[in-house]
Each structure stands twice: as C-alpha cells, then as structure tokens.
Amino acid sequence: MSETESSSSAAAPAATPAPAVATERKPRRLRGHKKGAVTCCVASSARPGVIASSGEDGCLCWFDLRAKDVPFTIEAANKPISSICFKPGNEDFVYASAGNEILSFDVRMGPQSKPLETYNYNRDEINQIAVTSKGFLAAADDSGDVKIVNTIQKCLYKRLREAHTSICSSVQFIPWRPWTAITGGLDSKLAAWDFSKGRTLFSIDYGSPELQNGSSSGSTGQCFNPAFVHSVAVSEEGILGGLYKVCAVARGDGAVDVVDLEYELAPARSKGPPRATTSIMSSKRTELGDGSSNQSQVKRIHLDYTMGGHTAAVSCVAFSAFGEKGKFLVSGGNDASVKIWDWSKGFSSETNSNAELVLDIDVKKKVNWLCTTPTDSDNLIVCDTSKVVKVFDFR
C-alpha cells in the first residue's frame, strides 16, 4: 500500500463541484488487529456476513457481522500480510501473502491454525494473490512478474513476464474464461493473459500520450500523479442479467476506468489488430461505433473528478455484493473517501445516459482496501491506515 500512500501528496483539489455531497456516516468498528494498518479484507461468498482481514501485524482476523466479538485471530506471519483470498468452492481454506511467500491455512483449526502449505516461487515482495476453483494460484510481485502456481500438483505452473516494466500491483482471474487472468502495474499498464500459454492477449497503456491527452486528468488536472494501476476488480459472471463482462481499474491519477473485457479480448480471438491502441478516452466514456451513423457502443467509461470522483490516487475498487449484485462500483482512495457509482448507465447507447456518483462517504483516513457483503443490511467494509476495520451499513 505504500505506493498509493506516497503518491497522494501531489494531488490538486478538484476544479469542478461534485454532484454528490460527501456524507459522514458513523461506522461500526471491528477490533482484532494489534498494531499497524489493516491491509486487506475479503468477504465470504458461502457465509454472508463473515469477513477476513489481514494486517501489518502479520495477523489474520475473522469477523462475523452478526456477532459482537471477534471469532478468532491467527498469528500467520512475522511480517506484514499484503493480500488474502478464500479458496473458491471451499472457504475453509484461505491463502495469505507475506513478503515473497504464500501461506495457506485451514480456518477450522481456529487460532491454533498453522500453515498447511508454503509457496516461495516469487523473487520479490508479493502485492496481491488470487486463486481459482481449479487450484491455480496467481501472485503479482514487485519485479513485475506474476507466478501461477498449481496448488493441486504443488508446483510452479507458469511465469507471466515482460508485460510490466515496473511493480505488478494487482492480479485477478476472469471467472467466465478459465484460462485468462488480468494484471495491473505501476507502469500504468493493464494486461490480459492466456496463462496456459504465458502470453498476453491485450494491453492498455494508461500512460501513453494518446490516452492521457484524451483524459480530463491530463489537462487541467485533478491530480499530478501518473495513471498507475493500483487495483483491478473483475465482475462476476451473470451480473445485471448477464449484459456486462467488465473490469474496473483503480488509477493513481484519481480516475476509475471500467473496461468491456469481451470487446478488448475480441482481437485475440480474431487475431485482428489491437483495439486498445486506437481508442481515445473522454472525461466520461469512450464510444466505439459499429460503423452506423446513428448508433454507438460504449466500451470503456472513465469516472473522474469532473463527475465528483477522487482527487487523489484510487487504491481499491470492488463491485457490490449487496442489492442487485454488481449494480454498484465502489472505489476508495487516498483522499480519504469512498465513492459508490451506478456505473452501468455509462455503457448505455442513449445520448444522455452517463454513469452517476450516487454516494460519497468521508472515511477520514486513506483507504487501503474495501469489500462488500450482504447480511441483514448492505455492508461496506473499509480497511484504512488504522488497525480498526470499519463497517458502513446502508439499511
């Protein structure tokens, strides 16, 4: 998280008033970590209301939002834990990255749980991990590489390299494409991979003059920081009636992009020229027409300060698990704010339809990570630079 924290000092105030007024909400505070910042949180899919968090204290904490007390804490490592994830299909198992290691735990063992497996294939410090139901575990590290581990055969499966020239900050698998992963880095690049072959399918360079010149953050400026990719979120399959298969990108210049993955992956299937190099970003969206004069299809939207967005680096993005799943996009940033967007309107071909900022929450501290979960109410879980996990509900 240090890269996003250090970049916020160069931020300039927004020049345009936000359409949504920042609100102060009193959160519920979950205490379990001993010291330092809470670095990551994940919500259980199988057990609504159950949250796992990791911290700089090397601990993993389990919280049940239906209870008052912390169920248990695992002292997982003697160094900060950068990322955690549940094993899809069997959430009794959790993976955590600490330094250049990945550890797995059986949470049924409670506080006495010891690492079941340890993987040491990464050369440098790991920033994020992700795992598939088929047992493939991805780890993005400071060298710019991503290591794919086969946890069933317990061996290194593939090394994804050369797409990123700087720190690889984020990695996610694409659930509806079993052999595809997507990565982001502090070289301002977003890359999609066929990890079975170890090759890139497409790459978007947010630092290129073409994309910067077409973006409002490259002109009068909300933020002088580069468009580093700090976080990537991939939508679940079938959200909003199956109409959208997208990813969201948290950028260091304060913007959030939403990209139509199926459109970007189309050149890889047809072996045509990459479309990412020919599109220009507008302040709100990119419209790539189908050739007719009266119809256009929006394939990327751009959520920035002109719409009430962030005025410093965006550290994390997530699609909502509450309400109609995936309807809202949640972003957190170094401006100590969380934004909730009704993003799908930006993909409409209607002339006056744009993505909207529906809620702006002042959380007082820089956001490290966030996630959402449904219980009796709709919950937003925020990890910031304190040792306390904060829960905002929208009942």
Side-chain angles (χ1 to χ4, degrees):
M1 299 302 167
S2 58
E3 293 82 14
T4 56
E5 290 175 10
S6 63
S7 65
S8 63
S9 60
T16 303
V21 177
T23 61
E24 291 189 17
R25 290 173 176 260
K26 187 175 181 180
R28 177 182 174 186
R29 297 171 180 269
L30 305 179
R31 303 179 187 277
H33 292 281
K34 301 173 183 177
K35 60 181 179 179
V38 184
T39 56
C40 189
C41 59
V42 290
S44 169
S45 298
R47 305 178 182 98
V50 173
I51 306 297
S53 66
S54 63
E56 292 179 342
D57 58 358
C59 291
L60 301 175
C61 293
W62 264 253
F63 302 97
D64 188 336
L65 299 184
R66 298 162 296 184
K68 293 183 178 180
D69 301 324
V70 182
F72 60 87
T73 298
I74 297 175
E75 295 183 359
N78 59 2
K79 63 188 75 172
I81 296 174
S82 57
S83 180
I84 53 174
C85 62
F86 286 114
K87 180 179 180 180
N90 188 354
E91 293 185 353
D92 290 331
F93 296 91
V94 66
Y95 294 91
S97 59
N100 65 345
E101 290 186 324
I102 304 172
L103 312 170
S104 70
F105 297 90
D106 184 340
V107 301
R108 293 172 296 184
M109 302 297 293
Q112 307 305 316
S113 180
K114 300 297 180 184
L116 300 175
E117 299 164 353
T118 302
Y119 301 104
N120 295 280
Y121 296 111
N122 290 77
R123 185 178 65 203
D124 292 341
E125 184 173 347
I126 297 169
N127 296 303
Q128 190 176 30
I129 57 174
V131 67
T132 73
S133 58
K134 302 296 185 183
F136 291 106
L137 175 66
D141 68 27
D142 280 356
S143 72
D145 288 356
V146 177
K147 301 295 174 58
I148 306 292
V149 178
N150 186 325
T151 62
I152 297 174
Q153 297 183 1
K154 297 179 173 46
C155 64
L156 180 65
Y157 179 75
K158 276 289 186 297
R159 176 185 176 190
L160 310 182
R161 48 189 280 182
E162 297 180 357
H164 295 288
T165 57
S166 183
I167 292 170
C168 187
S169 59
S170 49
V171 61
Q172 292 292 325
F173 291 103
I174 299 178
W176 60 88
R177 287 174 167 266
W179 296 101
T180 309
I182 193 158
T183 60
L186 301 195
D187 54 0
S188 302
K189 291 180 181 178
L190 180 75
W193 302 81
D194 178 341
F195 68 86
S196 68
K197 298 181 174 64
R199 64 180 180 88
T200 55
L201 300 174
F202 75 81
S203 178
I204 299 173
D205 185 357
Y206 290 110
S208 67
E210 182 182 57
L211 293 188
Q212 287 189 331
N213 291 340
S215 169
S216 60
S217 59
S219 53
T220 55
Q222 74 194 72
C223 185
F224 297 119
N225 298 316
F228 295 155
V229 176
H230 288 302
S231 170
V232 174
V234 177
S235 64
E236 291 188 22
E237 187 173 9
I239 65 165
L240 303 179
L243 296 175
Y244 304 101
K245 295 181 176 181
V246 299
C247 75
V249 183
R251 291 171 38 165
D253 59 357
V256 176
D257 277 20
V258 185
V259 179
D260 183 334
L261 285 178
E262 288 300 279
Y263 178 82
E264 299 295 343
L265 288 165
R269 292 198 302 267
S270 61
K271 300 183 179 179
R275 301 180 189 183
T277 60
T278 61
S279 58
I280 304 297
M281 301 295 289
S282 68
S283 62
K284 290 186 174 61
R285 56 185 176 176
T286 299
E287 297 182 350
L288 302 178
D290 61 359
S292 64
S293 59
N294 59 358
Q295 185 181 13
S296 64
Q297 290 181 302
V298 180
K299 298 305 178 185
R300 298 186 204 165
I301 57 174
H302 184 74
L303 311 174
D304 64 12
Y305 75 103
T306 65
M307 304 171 67
H310 295 278
T311 58
V314 185
S315 53
C316 184
V317 285
F319 289 96
S320 62
F322 50 66
E324 186 178 2
K325 184 172 287 188
K327 176 177 175 57
F328 298 109
L329 176 63
V330 187
S331 60
N334 285 359
D335 55 0
S337 73
V338 170
K339 316 281 185 179
I340 299 182
W341 305 87
D342 189 348
W343 61 273
S344 62
K345 291 181 179 179
F347 280 94
S348 173
S349 59
E350 296 178 11
T351 304
N352 296 320
S353 181
N354 291 315
E356 295 177 352
L357 178 64
V358 296
L359 190 59
D360 184 357
I361 306 172
D362 180 5
V363 296
K364 305 300 183 184
K365 295 180 182 289
K366 296 176 182 177
V367 177
N368 283 337
W369 208 255
L370 52 80
C371 65
T372 65
T373 182
T375 50
D376 295 332
S377 58
D378 298 334
N379 290 284
L380 166 65
I381 295 87
V382 176
C383 303
D384 58 28
T385 53
S386 73
K387 64 180 181 180
V388 179
V389 178
K390 298 177 176 66
V391 181
F392 297 83
D393 75 73
F394 305 103
R395 207 164 4 196

